Amino acid sequence: MARPEFWKLSSCEMGCNGLFDKDVTEGKLVYQNCTTTCAFTYETEAGNAFLACAMANSCVEFPPIPGSCPYKQEHIKPGSSLAAGSGEWWQQRGKNALWDCYDCQHIHEMKLVNDSDFCAKTVAPGGVVESPCWSYTYSHDLYLATGGTRTFEQTLQLPADTPEGERIDIYYSYMGSWHNESWFILDSTDTYWILGDCSYMQDWVIYGSILWVRPGHTLTATENAGIAKTYKEKLGWEFDDFCHDRHEGTCRLTPGDHNNNDDNNNPAAGKSETKPKNWYRARPGQRKPFVHPKDIEDYLQQQQQQQRMA
């Protein structure tokens, strides 16, 4: 029998399907947040492995979210590299209304590591990431289908051999789904750096930009004006349109903690899980398939009652 969390995940994800055509946001952000909320709420190692295997063998496809990457070579700060992001940083402003606006986005540490075994944990199309590489530990809060939020954290291996002033291509797994991104460092100082990113997963093309700020630093009026000028001159974007998110002193420090008051802005909060009728058609003499969390809970309660009576 499959683990209950897997059936709950499947049911929850099915509940997102009705949002796809109705979602008129650029990049289908409401739909994306719904699927991410389900994946994170009912995540298991087995479920992640199953999705990774299914994607690698073309057994699962996602409806396309077309788009294009707005960044060009001319937008990259000359001579820049991932060294601009070494150390610890908190995100204070974001462009993408979903991925760049989750609360408490935190680079715990980015450091150069000379360890072939560690770097080789990430495999890119050209082979494993070579040593030395950048060890990149980050976290952010994600919504839960059961209400509130929980902190997601992982460590990636980023390439250190990209020439200065060039686009940086990275590859990673996110809860079982495989992604590749292109990073563009638009500007950097000792107190902040501006990251532009384009993310690709199958036929999904998503872009955004994050303003990373040193812990304890308050941006000055001059710095804010310079950041706004960078976005306006390079991309025609208004910095005032970027979101503000919670950071530093307003965030929990221990991954996994819950805050049940964090779901007010969750686009998926009002979603109800569906019960596809065709999944309920059991063959004569067979048990009805599990498709909904309530079915699983009822079944487990029945099993517990039978064990107590035995």
Side-chain angles (χ1 to χ4, degrees):
M1 174 180 172
R3 293 181 59 175
E5 292 91 342
F6 186 79
W7 291 109
K8 290 182 180 182
L9 169 62
S10 299
S11 174
C12 186
E13 295 283 5
M14 288 291 292
C16 301
N17 290 344
L19 297 175
F20 188 83
D21 291 333
K22 298 177 182 178
D23 187 355
V24 296
T25 62
E26 181 183 4
K28 301 285 185 181
L29 298 184
V30 175
Y31 171 77
Q32 284 192 60
N33 187 50
C34 180
T35 59
T36 304
T37 297
C38 293
F40 188 53
T41 303
Y42 303 113
E43 181 186 19
T44 63
E45 291 185 9
N48 288 347
F50 176 85
L51 179 58
C53 178
M55 291 184 68
N57 291 280
S58 301
C59 300
V60 62
E61 294 183 359
F62 297 91
I65 300 178
S68 60
C69 183
Y71 302 109
K72 301 177 181 178
Q73 178 66 33
E74 64 199 53
H75 298 149
I76 302 174
K77 179 182 178 181
S80 61
S81 72
L82 283 178
S86 61
E88 181 184 7
W89 305 84
W90 286 92
Q91 178 195 306
Q92 292 195 11
R93 303 286 293 274
K95 167 66 176 175
N96 186 287
L98 175 63
W99 296 104
D100 299 341
C101 295
Y102 284 127
D103 282 333
C104 304
Q105 303 214 34
H106 183 199
I107 298 176
H108 298 252
E109 184 179 37
M110 184 152 74
K111 62 182 179 180
L112 198 61
V113 173
N114 193 359
D115 184 334
S116 297
D117 291 338
F118 172 79
C119 297
K121 290 180 179 180
T122 293
V123 181
V128 300
V129 173
E130 297 291 339
S131 178
C133 67
W134 290 99
S135 172
Y136 175 79
T137 301
Y138 76 100
S139 66
H140 57 260
D141 284 4
L142 289 174
Y143 298 111
L144 296 169
T146 51
T149 61
R150 188 169 71 232
T151 302
F152 172 87
E153 179 180 322
Q154 69 176 358
T155 297
L156 306 180
Q157 295 78 32
L158 308 184
D161 55 0
T162 303
E164 293 183 350
E166 297 291 327
R167 180 190 72 201
I168 303 162
D169 293 324
I170 71 169
Y171 301 84
Y172 63 96
S173 174
Y174 187 76
M175 289 186 280
S177 60
W178 291 101
H179 296 253
N180 65 285
E181 293 188 3
S182 296
W183 284 11
F184 305 78
I185 299 177
L186 308 183
D187 196 12
S188 63
T189 70
D190 291 338
T191 55
Y192 69 84
W193 62 295
I194 302 175
L195 173 66
D197 63 274
C198 293
S199 177
Y200 311 93
M201 186 194 74
Q202 291 193 348
D203 291 327
W204 290 17
V205 182
I206 305 158
Y207 71 88
S209 183
I210 287 177
L211 172 64
W212 292 108
V213 181
R214 284 287 187 198
H217 179 71
T218 300
L219 293 170
T220 66
T222 301
E223 287 174 322
N224 276 306
I227 294 165
K229 182 179 179 181
T230 295
Y231 280 121
K232 186 65 175 179
E233 291 184 349
K234 292 189 175 183
L235 294 149
W237 295 344
E238 296 293 339
F239 187 45
D240 288 342
D241 294 337
F242 283 40
C243 66
H244 295 261
D245 63 356
R246 293 194 297 113
H247 55 273
E248 207 159 351
T250 61
C251 294
R252 64 180 72 88
L253 297 178
T254 304
D257 288 350
H258 294 257
N259 183 337
N260 290 323
N261 297 316
D262 286 350
D263 57 356
N264 293 331
N265 296 321
N266 183 2
K271 176 190 66 62
S272 61
E273 294 166 328
T274 60
K275 299 182 179 182
K277 292 182 179 179
N278 59 316
W279 283 20
Y280 278 87
R281 296 172 186 163
R283 299 173 191 170
Q286 290 189 342
R287 182 186 299 277
K288 181 176 67 177
F290 294 117
V291 296
H292 195 268
K294 187 65 169 63
D295 296 328
I296 300 169
E297 292 169 4
D298 291 344
Y299 174 77
L300 293 177
Q301 289 177 2
Q302 292 174 5
Q303 292 292 98
Q304 291 172 356
Q305 290 176 356
Q306 292 175 1
Q307 291 175 359
R308 286 196 294 267
M309 295 172 63

